[in-house]
Amino acid sequence: MQKTPFVTKSQLETITRSYPTPFHLYDEAGIRRTARAVNQAFSWNPGFREYFAVKATPTPGILKILHEEGCGCDCSSLTELMMSRRCGIVGEEIMFSANETPAEEYVLASELGAIINLDDITHVDFLEQTIGFIPEKISCRYNPGGVYTLGESTEGFQVMDNPGDAKYGMTREQLFQAFRMLKDKGAKEFGIHSFLASNTLSNDYYPALAAQLFRLAVEVQAQTGCHVTFVNLSGGVGVDYKPEQSANDIFAIGEGVRRAYEEILVPAGMGDVSIYTEMGRFMLAPHGHLVTRAIHEKHTYKDYVGVDACAANLMRPAIYGAYHHITVMGKENAPCDHKYDVVGSLCENCDKFAVDRMLPEIEKGDLLVIHDTGAHGFSMGYNYNGRLRSAELLLREDGSVELMRRAETPEDYFATLVW
Ligand SMILES: *Cc1c(COP(=O)(O)O)cnc(C)c1O
């Protein structure tokens, strides 16, 4: 499907008068639309909750909008827990899913009343020693090992990932044992969590994962007597970064999970299990743009367009070769008859937002929208070459724009120096 920016060129020209490029811009209307669709798709499950993966977009303005739509926070670090608390999101509205977890993080998670998801069996004792008790509601992360393949989907797209090489989660035997240990130590409500594959473009991923976890839940409950009250499908639902890809259908996904639930959990007398999700990318990626301006052009062995954003603002193309669609504002209908590398200023040759991309002719001063940067965009930013993090702006539903986070200044960059 053709990718259309959620702002117009004239809106952007107005915004750039107050906020110079580059900046990340988020679309409130789109964020609410997606959150409502997710909640509706799983409304058949009374306990359903989406815990937004804070690492994808750790920005209070965004977390508060999602909270208004009923979402909680999935946190993995001390500062993510603090960010959630800062937004007034506490208690069971926080899922704490960390690994190699420092003691202080369990302490804060426990103080906030978060649901704690243990990544390893050794953390049963570590948690108890750290906070002095085992919470009544607790979760364990499962890793089935091997290679995870999701057969050819209707899109002709195959999902394959390698849980056996992933550092996360417990083996099946460890999970059973951890549940028994936790029960002996006073836990009463148990959850199972698993994350098998990232950025899946298939309506079958969640249903297939759910079926696997539901079967496991039935066995765990039967064999250990632990009352499983929730199954957490975690993240991994992908987005169509490329125009030729088709988007996931969250209603088909919710319906697929419902079918597995009816087939597996309900007959086992486990119709009280709540479904949790921890989507980051699916919730936010399409609702963010990185807005940048062409500031140079260079013609050597290739044709380059130099922009004022760089990989420090959006790392995915540099580290994964990830595709992000680019719209040259005001030239939406111009022919894509020029082949460019669109590059940032880092002294790293991987600092390219696009390689050999066919685009309309770009002139200095043109505004470029880099699409689908709302998740794992700003948040992966860094300060290499002394580049500074950009501002984050919110496009309100009424068309107004608010600054959620100012751009870093050189003073910020020097602030941590001791001498
Ligand atoms: C990264 C992560 C997520 C979110 O993943 P997405 O691909 O953005 O949906 C959810 N849960 C955990 C534990 C994660 O590490």
Side-chain angles (χ1 to χ4, degrees), residues 72-244:
C73 284
D74 165 39
C75 301
S76 309
S77 69
L78 190 73
T79 48
E80 287 180 5
L81 286 166
M82 293 164 80
M83 185 73 82
S84 183
R85 177 177 64 189
R86 195 177 190 279
C87 299
I89 304 168
V90 295
E92 291 195 0
E93 290 188 318
I94 303 177
M95 178 70 58
F96 182 62
S97 276
N99 65 92
E100 317 320 324
T101 315
E104 60 179 0
E105 301 189 356
Y106 278 140
V107 171
L108 182 57
S110 170
E111 275 171 23
L112 295 178
I115 303 173
I116 293 174
N117 181 37
L118 299 177
D119 184 70
D120 187 53
I121 188 163
T122 59
H123 286 228
V124 175
D125 288 334
F126 182 68
L127 177 66
E128 187 181 36
Q129 283 154 20
T130 303
I131 65 170
F133 65 100
I134 289 294
E136 288 197 355
K137 187 167 180 177
I138 190 106
S139 171
C140 290
R141 183 165 182 167
Y142 170 58
N143 182 335
V147 175
Y148 180 80
T149 318
L150 192 61
E152 207 78 16
S153 77
T154 46
E155 288 86 24
F157 179 87
Q158 209 178 24
V159 174
M160 201 174 88
D161 233 313
N162 205 349
D165 278 341
K167 65 174 177 169
Y168 312 104
M170 308 182 195
T171 67
R172 186 187 159 88
E173 291 67 33
Q174 289 171 336
L175 185 94
F176 278 74
Q177 199 188 334
F179 271 40
R180 288 195 177 94
M181 289 165 69
L182 291 163
K183 184 165 176 257
D184 287 345
K185 293 175 188 293
K188 301 212 156 43
E189 287 187 48
F190 295 81
I192 301 176
H193 170 287
S194 194
F195 191 155
L196 298 187
S198 202
N199 192 27
T200 58
L201 260 193
S202 160
N203 295 330
D204 300 330
Y205 170 65
Y206 259 5
L209 170 63
Q212 193 176 346
L213 296 184
F214 293 163
R215 279 189 209 102
L216 181 66
V218 171
E219 288 174 58
V220 165
Q221 184 154 311
Q223 290 180 32
T224 66
C226 293
H227 185 197
V228 178
T229 59
F230 61 97
V231 167
N232 187 335
L233 301 176
S234 191
V237 178
V239 297
D240 48 332
Y241 286 104
K242 296 180 179 171
E244 66 269 24

Side-chain angles (χ1 to χ4, degrees), residues 288-366:
H289 291 334
L290 174 57
V291 180
T292 185
R293 208 181 274 281
I295 56 171
H296 291 288
E297 59 179 288
K298 170 168 179 169
H299 304 282
T300 52
Y301 308 102
K302 299 182 90 169
D303 294 321
Y304 296 97
V305 170
V307 295
D308 58 8
C310 66
N313 306 112
L314 175 69
M315 201 180 191
R316 300 185 69 259
I319 57 170
Y320 311 126
Y323 180 96
H324 281 267
H325 198 68
I326 294 176
T327 298
V328 183
M329 298 307 288
K331 300 184 177 174
E332 289 82 351
N333 300 314
C336 292
D337 53 5
H338 283 65
K339 190 193 270 189
Y340 292 116
D341 281 14
V342 178
V343 302
S345 59
L346 294 188
C347 303
E348 278 289 342
N349 200 41
C350 62
D351 185 13
K352 297 185 175 187
F353 292 115
V355 176
D356 295 334
R357 182 83 54 92
M358 295 308 294
L359 289 165
E361 180 168 22
I362 296 174
E363 288 150 287
K364 275 192 274 183
D366 278 351

